Amino acid sequence: MIFKKPLFFFLLFLIPACSTVTRPALEYRPGAQVETLSSAVSMSIHSSERSMAGHGFMVYRRPDQVHLIMLSPFGPTLFEAFALGEKVVLVYPSQSVAYSGRLDELPEKGGLQSWRLIRWVMDIDAPTEKRSNESVSRQSKLGFEEKVTFEDGLVTNKAATNGDQVFYSKYTVINGVAVAEEVEMRNEHGDRIRLKLDEPEINVPLDEAAFTPGLDGMTILPLSALQGI
């Protein structure tokens, strides 16, 4: 096959141009962090015992307060999860039962182990122009060794020596703050939790009531009595 010269030279120009196309770097404010977050979410949980998926709402306040509401397909609340420092409370309104205790008391089954990672997951470095593309081994704020991978100054992966991992992807910028709209947690047991944000609001005031479990009329049980999510 013989190319006409104009077409041939056009193709020679086009091929290297296509091969060097890259995604433009996000324009975020260096050092700007997520202090508070509220967002509709979709979540999937996979463990050796069971899998589930649903949608709901989440609020977060730095450094270690999370309230997640998961809804059933028909609308009523399936469960609420509160991670408040070292304390965790799981509320099941339809059963009028709540389970309360420390994060390290969560049973080692039913996908519940992944919730122990929540403080580590939310403790993410503020983006900086000085750290573009690299991996750093260091001690986490929780006292264990971790390896952190950065791309364009943003954290994309953290891995602990015991096999726990968290992946951050689909970053967007809201009012100058870089936010990962998709987070996936994988623990050493093979359990996985994937969380996707939908139209998050960043750094807006949150009422204290958002982080206060409603336990009136609930039977309160220890986390050891929980069989799974």
Side-chain angles (χ1 to χ4, degrees):
M1 181 176 181
I2 300 176
F3 290 107
K4 294 182 179 179
K5 286 185 178 181
L7 176 60
F8 176 71
F9 286 116
F10 172 74
L11 290 173
L12 286 178
F13 171 79
L14 180 62
I15 291 172
C18 291
S19 64
T20 58
V21 171
T22 58
R23 176 180 57 85
L26 293 177
E27 296 185 2
Y28 54 79
R29 284 189 289 113
Q33 287 185 297
V34 175
E35 299 295 338
T36 66
L37 178 148
S38 59
S39 178
V41 299
S42 58
M43 185 177 73
S44 60
I45 301 173
H46 300 278
S47 71
S48 58
E49 288 86 8
R50 63 176 301 184
S51 296
M52 64 170 290
H55 67 281
F57 193 77
M58 185 182 80
V59 292
Y60 161 75
R61 182 164 60 197
R62 190 174 183 85
D64 56 10
Q65 294 183 308
V66 179
H67 177 194
L68 175 68
I69 302 172
M70 291 305 298
L71 305 175
S72 73
F74 305 103
T77 299
L78 186 62
F79 71 88
E80 295 184 61
F82 295 82
L84 309 170
E86 292 290 342
K87 183 180 180 180
V88 60
V89 181
L90 300 175
V91 182
Y92 295 81
S94 64
Q95 304 172 30
S96 297
V97 174
Y99 300 84
S100 179
R102 293 172 54 88
L103 284 169
D104 58 11
E105 295 172 346
L106 283 166
E108 296 187 7
K109 56 185 176 181
L112 293 166
Q113 281 290 305
S114 294
W115 289 106
R116 295 187 182 185
L117 304 180
I118 194 67
R119 289 184 63 196
W120 182 52
V121 169
M122 302 309 291
D123 179 27
I124 184 171
D125 298 60
T128 171
E129 295 175 331
K130 295 180 180 180
R131 177 177 281 147
S132 56
N133 300 302
E134 62 177 332
S135 293
V136 178
S137 295
R138 66 188 187 187
Q139 188 175 60
S140 73
K141 292 181 181 179
L142 299 179
F144 56 81
E145 293 298 313
E146 66 178 5
K147 182 178 181 180
V148 186
T149 300
F150 297 85
E151 293 183 13
D152 296 326
L154 303 170
V155 177
T156 57
N157 170 245
K158 296 200 297 184
T161 54
N162 68 351
D164 293 340
Q165 293 188 80
V166 55
F167 300 86
Y168 307 86
S169 60
K170 296 185 178 178
Y171 272 94
T172 188
V173 176
I174 301 174
N175 297 327
V177 183
V179 184
E181 291 192 315
E182 185 169 319
V183 178
E184 181 171 334
M185 296 166 272
R186 303 177 188 174
N187 68 18
E188 57 183 313
H189 304 284
D191 301 330
R192 291 182 290 124
I193 295 180
R194 177 175 292 177
L195 192 68
K196 296 181 180 180
L197 307 182
D198 182 15
E199 298 184 355
E201 294 185 359
I202 303 298
N203 297 347
V204 297
L206 295 176
D207 195 287
E208 190 65 34
F211 302 98
T212 304
L215 301 178
D216 289 345
M218 293 280 177
T219 299
I220 312 299
L221 299 175
L223 290 174
S224 58
L226 190 59
Q227 299 300 309
I229 293 178

Short mmCIF file of all heavy atoms in Angstrom, two decimals, residues 116-140:
data_model
loop_
_atom_site.label_atom_id
_atom_site.label_comp_id
_atom_site.label_asym_id
_atom_site.label_seq_id
_atom_site.Cartn_x
_atom_site.Cartn_y
_atom_site.Cartn_z
N ARG A 116 -12.00 -1.26 61.10
CA ARG A 116 -10.86 -0.89 61.94
C ARG A 116 -9.89 0.04 61.22
O ARG A 116 -9.07 0.70 61.85
CB ARG A 116 -10.11 -2.15 62.37
CG ARG A 116 -10.91 -3.09 63.27
CD ARG A 116 -10.05 -4.22 63.78
NE ARG A 116 -10.81 -5.15 64.61
CZ ARG A 116 -10.28 -6.17 65.25
NH1 ARG A 116 -8.99 -6.41 65.13
NH2 ARG A 116 -11.03 -6.97 65.98
N LEU A 117 -9.99 0.06 59.90
CA LEU A 117 -9.08 0.88 59.10
C LEU A 117 -9.53 2.32 58.98
O LEU A 117 -8.81 3.15 58.43
CB LEU A 117 -8.97 0.29 57.69
CG LEU A 117 -8.55 -1.16 57.54
CD1 LEU A 117 -8.51 -1.55 56.07
CD2 LEU A 117 -7.21 -1.42 58.20
N ILE A 118 -10.71 2.66 59.50
CA ILE A 118 -11.33 3.93 59.15
C ILE A 118 -10.47 5.14 59.54
O ILE A 118 -10.35 6.10 58.79
CB ILE A 118 -12.75 4.05 59.76
CG1 ILE A 118 -13.50 5.21 59.12
CG2 ILE A 118 -12.71 4.15 61.27
CD1 ILE A 118 -13.81 5.00 57.66
N ARG A 119 -9.84 5.11 60.72
CA ARG A 119 -9.00 6.25 61.12
C ARG A 119 -7.79 6.37 60.22
O ARG A 119 -7.38 7.47 59.85
CB ARG A 119 -8.56 6.09 62.57
CG ARG A 119 -9.67 6.27 63.59
CD ARG A 119 -9.14 6.20 65.00
NE ARG A 119 -8.20 7.28 65.27
CZ ARG A 119 -7.35 7.27 66.30
NH1 ARG A 119 -7.33 6.26 67.14
NH2 ARG A 119 -6.53 8.29 66.49
N TRP A 120 -7.21 5.23 59.87
CA TRP A 120 -6.05 5.23 58.97
C TRP A 120 -6.44 5.75 57.59
O TRP A 120 -5.72 6.51 56.97
CB TRP A 120 -5.50 3.81 58.89
CG TRP A 120 -4.28 3.63 58.06
CD1 TRP A 120 -3.10 4.35 58.14
CD2 TRP A 120 -4.08 2.65 57.03
NE1 TRP A 120 -2.19 3.87 57.23
CE2 TRP A 120 -2.77 2.83 56.53
CE3 TRP A 120 -4.88 1.64 56.50
CZ2 TRP A 120 -2.24 2.03 55.51
CZ3 TRP A 120 -4.36 0.85 55.50
CH2 TRP A 120 -3.06 1.05 55.01
N VAL A 121 -7.62 5.34 57.12
CA VAL A 121 -8.10 5.77 55.80
C VAL A 121 -8.29 7.28 55.75
O VAL A 121 -7.91 7.94 54.78
CB VAL A 121 -9.42 5.05 55.46
CG1 VAL A 121 -10.07 5.66 54.22
CG2 VAL A 121 -9.18 3.56 55.26
N MET A 122 -8.89 7.84 56.79
CA MET A 122 -9.20 9.27 56.78
C MET A 122 -7.98 10.14 57.06
O MET A 122 -8.01 11.34 56.79
CB MET A 122 -10.31 9.56 57.80
CG MET A 122 -11.59 8.78 57.58
SD MET A 122 -12.25 8.87 55.89
CE MET A 122 -12.78 10.58 55.82
N ASP A 123 -6.92 9.55 57.60
CA ASP A 123 -5.70 10.32 57.87
C ASP A 123 -4.86 10.39 56.60
O ASP A 123 -4.02 9.54 56.34
CB ASP A 123 -4.90 9.66 58.99
CG ASP A 123 -3.62 10.41 59.31
OD1 ASP A 123 -3.58 11.63 59.06
OD2 ASP A 123 -2.65 9.78 59.79
N ILE A 124 -5.13 11.38 55.78
CA ILE A 124 -4.49 11.50 54.47
C ILE A 124 -3.70 12.80 54.40
O ILE A 124 -4.16 13.84 54.88
CB ILE A 124 -5.55 11.41 53.35
CG1 ILE A 124 -4.89 11.45 51.97
CG2 ILE A 124 -6.59 12.49 53.50
CD1 ILE A 124 -5.87 11.14 50.86
N ASP A 125 -2.52 12.73 53.83
CA ASP A 125 -1.65 13.91 53.75
C ASP A 125 -2.28 15.02 52.92
O ASP A 125 -2.93 14.76 51.90
CB ASP A 125 -0.32 13.54 53.09
CG ASP A 125 0.48 12.52 53.87
OD1 ASP A 125 -0.04 11.41 54.08
OD2 ASP A 125 1.61 12.83 54.25
N ALA A 126 -2.06 16.24 53.35
CA ALA A 126 -2.47 17.38 52.54
C ALA A 126 -1.61 17.41 51.28
O ALA A 126 -0.41 17.14 51.33
CB ALA A 126 -2.30 18.68 53.32
N PRO A 127 -2.19 17.69 50.11
CA PRO A 127 -1.40 17.71 48.87
C PRO A 127 -0.37 18.82 48.89
O PRO A 127 -0.58 19.88 49.45
CB PRO A 127 -2.46 17.94 47.79
CG PRO A 127 -3.59 18.60 48.50
CD PRO A 127 -3.60 18.03 49.88
N THR A 128 0.76 18.55 48.27
CA THR A 128 1.83 19.53 48.22
C THR A 128 2.55 19.45 46.89
O THR A 128 2.71 18.36 46.33
CB THR A 128 2.84 19.33 49.37
OG1 THR A 128 3.97 20.18 49.15
CG2 THR A 128 3.31 17.89 49.45
N GLU A 129 2.98 20.57 46.38
CA GLU A 129 3.71 20.60 45.11
C GLU A 129 5.11 20.02 45.25
O GLU A 129 5.73 19.64 44.27
CB GLU A 129 3.79 22.04 44.60
CG GLU A 129 2.44 22.64 44.24
CD GLU A 129 2.56 24.09 43.85
OE1 GLU A 129 3.48 24.77 44.34
OE2 GLU A 129 1.73 24.54 43.05
N LYS A 130 5.63 19.94 46.47
CA LYS A 130 6.99 19.45 46.68
C LYS A 130 7.07 17.93 46.55
O LYS A 130 8.14 17.37 46.44
CB LYS A 130 7.48 19.88 48.07
CG LYS A 130 7.62 21.39 48.25
CD LYS A 130 8.11 21.73 49.64
CE LYS A 130 8.25 23.24 49.82
NZ LYS A 130 8.72 23.59 51.18
N ARG A 131 5.95 17.24 46.64
CA ARG A 131 5.94 15.78 46.56
C ARG A 131 5.08 15.39 45.38
O ARG A 131 3.85 15.39 45.46
CB ARG A 131 5.39 15.19 47.86
CG ARG A 131 5.27 13.69 47.86
CD ARG A 131 4.79 13.19 49.21
NE ARG A 131 5.88 13.17 50.17
CZ ARG A 131 5.75 13.40 51.47
NH1 ARG A 131 4.58 13.72 51.95
NH2 ARG A 131 6.80 13.33 52.27
N SER A 132 5.69 15.08 44.25
CA SER A 132 4.94 14.83 43.03
C SER A 132 4.64 13.35 42.85
O SER A 132 3.54 12.90 43.12
CB SER A 132 5.70 15.38 41.83
OG SER A 132 7.01 14.82 41.78
N ASN A 133 5.64 12.57 42.40
CA ASN A 133 5.42 11.14 42.14
C ASN A 133 6.49 10.34 42.88
O ASN A 133 7.66 10.33 42.46
CB ASN A 133 5.49 10.85 40.63
CG ASN A 133 4.44 11.62 39.86
OD1 ASN A 133 3.25 11.48 40.11
ND2 ASN A 133 4.87 12.44 38.93
N GLU A 134 6.10 9.70 43.96
CA GLU A 134 7.06 8.93 44.74
C GLU A 134 6.34 8.02 45.73
O GLU A 134 5.13 8.15 45.96
CB GLU A 134 8.00 9.86 45.51
CG GLU A 134 7.29 10.74 46.54
CD GLU A 134 8.26 11.60 47.34
OE1 GLU A 134 9.42 11.18 47.51
OE2 GLU A 134 7.85 12.68 47.80
N SER A 135 7.07 7.07 46.28
CA SER A 135 6.57 6.21 47.36
C SER A 135 7.46 6.40 48.57
O SER A 135 8.69 6.48 48.44
CB SER A 135 6.57 4.74 46.93
OG SER A 135 5.62 4.52 45.90
N VAL A 136 6.84 6.51 49.74
CA VAL A 136 7.55 6.81 50.97
C VAL A 136 7.20 5.75 52.02
O VAL A 136 6.02 5.48 52.26
CB VAL A 136 7.19 8.21 51.51
CG1 VAL A 136 7.89 8.47 52.83
CG2 VAL A 136 7.51 9.28 50.49
N SER A 137 8.22 5.15 52.63
CA SER A 137 8.00 4.24 53.76
C SER A 137 8.22 5.02 55.04
O SER A 137 9.22 5.75 55.18
CB SER A 137 8.98 3.06 53.68
OG SER A 137 8.71 2.27 52.54
N ARG A 138 7.31 4.89 55.98
CA ARG A 138 7.37 5.69 57.21
C ARG A 138 6.49 5.06 58.29
O ARG A 138 5.82 4.05 58.05
CB ARG A 138 6.88 7.11 56.92
CG ARG A 138 5.39 7.16 56.56
CD ARG A 138 4.96 8.52 56.09
NE ARG A 138 3.51 8.56 55.91
CZ ARG A 138 2.86 9.58 55.37
NH1 ARG A 138 3.52 10.64 54.94
NH2 ARG A 138 1.54 9.55 55.24
N GLN A 139 6.47 5.67 59.46
CA GLN A 139 5.58 5.24 60.53
C GLN A 139 4.30 6.07 60.47
O GLN A 139 4.36 7.30 60.38
CB GLN A 139 6.24 5.39 61.89
CG GLN A 139 5.43 4.78 63.04
CD GLN A 139 6.16 4.84 64.35
OE1 GLN A 139 6.50 5.92 64.83
NE2 GLN A 139 6.42 3.68 64.94
N SER A 140 3.15 5.41 60.50
CA SER A 140 1.88 6.12 60.48
C SER A 140 1.63 6.80 61.81
O SER A 140 2.29 6.51 62.82
CB SER A 140 0.73 5.15 60.17
OG SER A 140 0.47 4.33 61.29
#
